């Protein structure tokens, strides 16, 4: 990727102004660094790398109430890292890999890194968090505790799971990012939220008509460009309630269900047609053949071409 790439260089296809997206920004020693870093009013994931550090501190701003979750991917010496909230310098030590900060944007967080760094930043709107908290039975979360250099194994693990997709041509779909934001949001609420009551989780799955409608919509939007909120609305449920009920009914998330559906569809095309693998990849919802081959091998254990040859050998006339 171009080291002077703009912050919007790696956006996933958007279906609405509120769609989540990912960005991978790679700075070099000559890249201008703004004194203010403004996020958009939606769930975003930004990976920011620099081999030289920052000349001055950066103020991070959000147009909507939101939490900033930042995870270091590499070490920083204590002398090269500082964080301020509400103009107050927070005491810090050595930054170890995969330590995380959770800070409310309302405190106008500022940071400075004086040497090479690699960070993943999540902007998590409070509106989405309130919806998740309400659905989990916590009610509205009034506040979130400040965390700096937290050893949060959950945030570390989910960050590791999404890292391979940041900066790739086959970026995660909005459906996958919606699902990811729910997982992260539920954790933030329970780990950092100042809660007034305990959760009251509903354990029920989807009604038969809801299962049918959800699978129908996912089938019609095989590329994953449909929002989770659109499917939930069609089923008459909140996003969080729908996602949990879907997993209860199908045993997997909407995104993973869709990935498996793509693979099953590709198998059908490979076994019943003579279409090229690139055409099969596109018709099965993948951006390109490389993404199709990678995903197919992960789930099936064989490349698409090898699977096709084995299928034809097994089913050819004796």
């Amino acid at each position: 990727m171009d080291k002077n790439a703009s912050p919007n260089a790696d956006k996933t296809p958007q279906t609405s102004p509120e769609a989540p997206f990912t960005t991978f920004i790679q700075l070099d020693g000559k890249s201008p660094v703004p004194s203010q870093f403004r996020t958009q009013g939606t769930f975003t994931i930004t990976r920011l790398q620099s081999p030289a550090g920052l000349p001055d501190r950066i103020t991070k701003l959000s147009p909507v109430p939101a939490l900033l979750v930042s995870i270091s991917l590499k070490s920083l010496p204590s002398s090269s890292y500082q964080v301020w909230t509400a103009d107050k310098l927070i005491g810090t030590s050595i930054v170890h890999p995969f330590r995380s900060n959770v800070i409310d944007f309302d405190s106008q967080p500022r940071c400075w890194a004086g040497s090479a760094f690699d960070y993943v930043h999540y902007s998590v709107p409070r509106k989405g968090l309130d919806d998740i908290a309400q659905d989990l039975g916590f009610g509205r979360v009034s506040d979130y505790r400040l965390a700096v250099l937290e050893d949060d194994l959950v945030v570390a693990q989910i960050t590791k799971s999404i890292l391979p997709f940041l900066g790739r041509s086959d970026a995660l779909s909005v459906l996958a990012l919606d699902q990811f934001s729910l997982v992260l949001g539920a954790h933030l609420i329970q780990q950092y939220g100042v809660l007034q009551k305990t959760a009251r989780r509903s354990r029920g799955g989807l009604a038969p008509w809801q299962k049918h409608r959800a699978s129908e919509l996912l089938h019609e939007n095989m590329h994953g460009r449909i929002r989770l909120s659109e499917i939930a609305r069609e089923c008459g449920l909140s996003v969080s309630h729908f996602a949990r009920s879907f997993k209860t009914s199908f045993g997997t998330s909407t995104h993973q269900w869709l990935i498996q559906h793509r693979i099953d569809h590709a198998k059908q095309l490979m076994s019943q047609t003579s279409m090229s693998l690139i055409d099969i990849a596109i018709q099965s919802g993948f951006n390109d053949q490389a993404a199709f081959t990678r995903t197919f091998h992960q789930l099936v254990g064989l490349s698409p071409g090898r699977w096709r040859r084995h299928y034809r050998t097994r089913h050819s006339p004796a």
Side-chain angles (χ1 to χ4, degrees):
M1 174 177 268
D2 178 21
K3 289 187 177 180
N4 294 313
S6 71
N8 297 328
D10 181 34
K11 288 186 181 181
T12 56
Q14 295 193 29
T15 56
S16 72
E18 296 79 29
F21 65 89
T22 66
T23 308
F24 191 0
I25 305 173
Q26 294 173 295
L27 304 172
D28 58 28
K30 301 177 182 178
S31 300
V33 181
S35 60
Q36 294 185 339
F37 188 89
R38 295 181 181 274
T39 67
Q40 296 195 23
T42 185
F43 178 74
T44 62
I45 305 174
T46 302
R47 184 172 180 179
L48 181 62
Q49 286 181 345
S50 171
L54 302 173
D56 201 356
R57 63 184 182 178
I58 292 178
T59 301
K60 298 178 181 180
L61 303 171
S62 171
V64 300
L67 295 184
L68 171 65
V69 182
S70 304
I71 300 91
S72 64
L73 302 184
K74 63 185 299 181
S75 296
L76 273 170
S78 58
S79 60
S80 295
Y81 182 71
Q82 292 181 316
V83 177
W84 294 261
T85 62
D87 287 326
K88 177 184 178 182
L89 180 64
I90 306 298
T92 56
S93 58
I94 296 173
V95 180
H96 295 289
F98 291 97
R99 293 296 173 92
S100 56
N101 300 340
V102 178
I103 305 174
D104 197 315
F105 270 107
D106 283 351
S107 67
Q108 291 195 330
R110 294 178 172 86
C111 72
W112 171 76
S115 57
F117 64 84
D118 190 356
Y119 263 86
V120 172
H121 300 286
Y122 303 99
S123 177
V124 190
R126 289 282 294 265
K127 172 66 169 62
L129 291 172
D130 287 345
D131 290 344
I132 297 171
Q134 189 71 33
D135 191 60
L136 291 176
F138 290 118
R140 187 174 180 276
V141 181
S142 60
D143 199 9
Y144 290 83
R145 70 176 178 87
L146 171 68
V148 175
L149 301 184
E150 186 99 351
D151 187 12
D152 189 323
L153 296 179
V154 174
V155 173
Q157 189 57 48
I158 62 177
T159 299
K160 291 175 183 177
S161 73
I162 205 169
L163 268 181
F165 298 95
L166 301 181
R168 267 185 8 196
S169 59
D170 56 324
L172 288 170
S173 67
V174 291
L175 182 64
L177 289 172
D178 278 340
Q179 192 75 49
F180 186 89
S181 70
L182 288 179
V183 174
L184 177 60
H187 173 69
L188 293 175
I189 290 165
Q190 295 175 80
Q191 184 71 17
Y192 302 98
V194 179
L195 305 175
Q196 304 302 317
K197 52 185 177 180
T198 56
R200 297 179 289 96
R201 289 199 178 192
S202 169
R203 298 186 180 275
L206 298 173
W209 73 269
Q210 292 170 322
K211 291 176 63 177
H212 175 76
R213 183 57 179 149
S215 57
E216 181 180 55
L217 287 170
L218 288 169
H219 177 76
E220 292 172 356
N221 294 273
M222 204 176 297
H223 282 81
R225 296 192 179 107
I226 190 170
R227 298 295 307 279
L228 199 58
S229 57
E230 296 174 54
I231 309 175
R233 184 169 58 247
E234 287 288 317
C235 293
L237 300 173
S238 69
V239 175
S240 178
H241 190 174
F242 167 77
R244 192 169 63 254
S245 298
F246 185 97
K247 189 167 186 177
T248 298
S249 294
F250 290 94
T252 188
S253 69
T254 51
H255 173 60
Q256 289 302 321
W257 186 96
L258 187 59
I259 294 298
Q260 186 61 57
H261 181 67
R262 289 175 181 171
I263 297 301
D264 292 342
H265 184 69
K267 285 181 176 179
Q268 184 179 32
L269 293 177
M270 285 192 291
S271 62
Q272 297 179 5
T273 75
S274 58
M275 292 172 59
S276 68
L277 291 180
I278 180 60
D279 288 337
I280 289 174
I282 299 302
Q283 286 208 22
S284 299
F286 294 94
N287 291 336
D288 52 43
Q289 187 173 338
F292 169 50
T293 299
R294 182 166 50 246
T295 304
F296 192 96
H297 192 277
Q298 287 174 347
L299 294 184
V300 181
L302 298 172
S303 68
R306 191 174 179 185
W307 184 92
R308 189 180 224 177
R309 289 192 295 273
H310 283 196
Y311 179 89
R312 288 175 174 174
T313 300
R314 290 197 309 268
H315 293 84
S316 61

